[in-house]
Amino acid sequence: MSKMLYTTTLPGNGHWSLEMRRGSLMKITDLEGGANVGMLFYNPRNLLERYNAPDTLKCQHTFKLQRGNCLYSDMGRIFASIVEDYSANGEGNWHDTICGNSTAEQVEKQWGKRDYQSHRNQWFQNGYDAFLVELAKYGLGRADMASNINWFSKVIADDHGNIQLDTKNQCAGNSVTLRFEMDTLVVMHACPHPLSKSNRYPFASVEIELGEADPVTDDDYCKNFREENQRGFQNNALYYLTTQ
């Protein structure tokens, strides 16, 4: 049975990175409602292999991420699977992976400017710079930043193709759980979504729980969610057969 072994909180302008082992779990919970968690994945044994949003969407025939979807690398392997996706208000979780990050210019235009020297933990960090801070710890930089995931953020398009953030499903208690299918360097931030129109800078913190997953079985929901995912799991198996 899956079990959680560690719990921490990421504040609403914070960022973090860590290596998740194959077979481990990460559960993220929106504590206050309105959270956005930007996330990137890299292979810690080969940092050139990284999360590929276009392939993730294309091969699973979707515009959004939800339970059952697998998160692919640019080598056709699966970093993680979305094994649980809980919506506290019943509106359904829907996670964005096309809109990218907030920038310093966007944040200043929307909420004004606050820096750490003057405002300490109440400063207005942006997603792009938050990623750069974490990536620098591993010798990575701007050129290594791929399209990211925005957990808990639902974006919709109108008949004219205009994209906007839909906040109806934002609710305290929403959660998403990832099962890691290969060793993965996870880089994340809890800064605002780039399309946020909130009147105030959303200091929406999240709880992060880490634990161990049950073994993947032949009838696994994510493995069978799309036919193409079978090939992704086979690519993972081949990778570990030849590298260990």
Side-chain angles (χ1 to χ4, degrees):
M1 178 179 292
S2 301
K3 58 181 179 180
M4 293 302 178
L5 303 170
Y6 178 83
T7 302
T8 190
T9 300
L10 187 65
N13 59 355
H15 44 81
W16 194 31
S17 59
L18 74 166
E19 182 177 333
M20 294 295 292
R21 177 178 44 81
R22 182 189 190 195
S24 60
L25 283 178
M26 175 183 288
K27 180 179 180 180
I28 310 169
T29 302
D30 184 348
L31 294 176
E32 304 161 43
N36 175 71
V37 178
M39 188 171 287
L40 288 170
F41 301 132
Y42 298 83
N43 181 346
R45 314 293 169 247
N46 174 15
L47 293 172
L48 292 175
E49 181 177 7
R50 53 201 59 175
Y51 173 65
N52 190 301
D55 284 356
T56 294
L57 298 179
K58 180 176 61 180
C59 79
Q60 295 177 100
H61 318 289
T62 184
F63 173 75
K64 59 187 179 184
L65 298 178
Q66 58 184 349
R67 178 176 178 256
N69 283 138
C70 296
L71 308 171
Y72 280 79
S73 81
D74 52 11
M75 301 291 284
R77 292 185 274 265
I78 298 171
F79 280 122
S81 302
I82 305 174
V83 294
E84 293 180 3
D85 192 6
Y86 175 69
S87 171
N89 67 0
E91 290 289 337
N93 283 346
W94 179 328
H95 310 278
D96 160 51
T97 189
I98 64 166
C99 289
N101 279 302
S102 56
T103 64
E105 292 77 13
Q106 287 177 317
V107 167
E108 182 174 356
K109 183 178 180 181
Q110 182 77 11
W111 297 291
K113 185 174 183 178
R114 285 190 184 182
D115 58 36
Y116 181 76
Q117 287 72 23
S118 301
H119 299 88
R120 300 302 182 193
N121 291 336
Q122 293 299 304
W123 74 301
F124 294 162
Q125 176 61 296
N126 66 88
Y128 186 81
D129 289 338
F131 271 152
L132 285 180
V133 171
E134 293 301 323
L135 290 174
K137 299 176 181 177
Y138 308 94
L140 302 174
R142 298 176 189 274
D144 303 296
M145 196 181 304
S147 298
N148 57 282
I149 299 166
N150 287 304
W151 298 115
F152 305 122
S153 292
K154 176 182 179 180
V155 294
I156 56 176
D158 63 21
D159 292 340
H160 302 287
N162 301 308
I163 296 175
Q164 60 180 323
L165 188 64
D166 184 344
T167 60
K168 290 195 293 292
N169 67 332
Q170 294 182 346
C171 182
N174 285 352
S175 66
V176 61
T177 304
L178 307 178
R179 181 185 64 209
F180 285 86
E181 313 297 356
M182 59 184 290
D183 295 348
T184 303
L185 171 62
V186 180
V187 181
M188 69 180 82
H189 66 68
C191 297
H193 189 275
L195 299 182
S196 175
K197 301 299 182 185
S198 175
N199 292 329
R200 294 183 178 181
Y201 183 97
F203 286 105
S205 56
V206 295
E207 180 183 76
I208 300 174
E209 298 173 84
L210 308 178
E212 296 178 354
D214 293 330
V216 179
T217 57
D218 289 341
D219 63 348
D220 180 77
Y221 183 78
C222 298
K223 191 175 182 180
N224 295 285
F225 187 67
R226 292 287 183 268
E227 183 178 350
E228 290 78 0
N229 290 349
Q230 295 279 349
R231 184 172 58 188
F233 276 90
Q234 290 172 1
N235 290 340
N236 279 37
L238 176 61
Y239 175 73
Y240 280 99
L241 176 66
T242 57
T243 58
Q244 291 187 345

